[in-house]
Amino acid sequence: MRRPQLAWAKRLTVLIAAVASVLGVSAVNGPAANAAVYGSCSTSGCSDAASANSTWSDLGYPTARGWYDWPDGECSYAGGEFYNNDGQLPSGDTFYEYDVYPRACGAHRDAYRIVVDSNTGVVWYSPDHYTDFYQL
């Protein structure tokens, strides 16, 4: 029996998702529409996020996407520009995203991010890939 052919758009979507998965890149770059934003950070992981922020700051907050050498011999990923598509963070500003936890270069990324407002220097921690934001 012949399998039904996928429409070209569906095949393209599957291909993009597969490539993004292999590269460790999320196909979704914006926060959830119902993201919560908190003016302070009082959840677990805040101290780890602050420590990661300090290291990223020491590296000059690189804006190019990619793996960067971390002080302990591992790597961490700078995700490039964060587009704030749902407007949870201040509108009109430019943001960059960075992983919180280092790992081996090229390893699968987790959901923990910091987002830096390059206009104001304010840093946000998201422990759940942009569902919640906590200001550091």
Side-chain angles (χ1 to χ4, degrees), residues 90-113:
S91 63
D93 289 358
T94 302
F95 301 92
Y96 292 95
E97 64 151 309
Y98 305 92
D99 284 5
V100 171
Y101 296 104
R103 63 193 56 76
C105 288
H108 181 68
R109 297 173 68 199
D110 57 25
Y112 303 92
R113 303 283 191 274

Side-chain angles (χ1 to χ4, degrees), residues 13-123:
T13 301
V14 170
L15 175 65
I16 289 170
V19 169
S21 176
V22 168
L23 295 176
V25 175
S26 173
V28 178
N29 199 19
N34 59 350
V37 179
Y38 302 93
S40 64
C41 197
S42 58
T43 188
S44 66
C46 293
S47 63
D48 291 341
S51 177
N53 180 57
S54 177
T55 303
W56 284 115
S57 176
D58 289 347
L59 294 172
Y61 291 120
T63 58
R65 293 174 62 122
W67 291 98
Y68 289 82
D69 291 333
W70 215 244
D72 63 2
E74 292 182 295
C75 291
S76 199
Y77 195 84
E81 188 169 352
F82 173 78
Y83 295 103
N84 195 31
N85 291 332
D86 289 333
Q88 306 315 85
L89 301 177
S91 63
D93 289 358
T94 302
F95 301 92
Y96 292 95
E97 64 151 309
Y98 305 92
D99 284 5
V100 171
Y101 296 104
R103 63 193 56 76
C105 288
H108 181 68
R109 297 173 68 199
D110 57 25
Y112 303 92
R113 303 283 191 274
I114 59 171
V115 177
V116 178
D117 184 328
S118 67
N119 299 86
T120 65
V122 173
V123 179

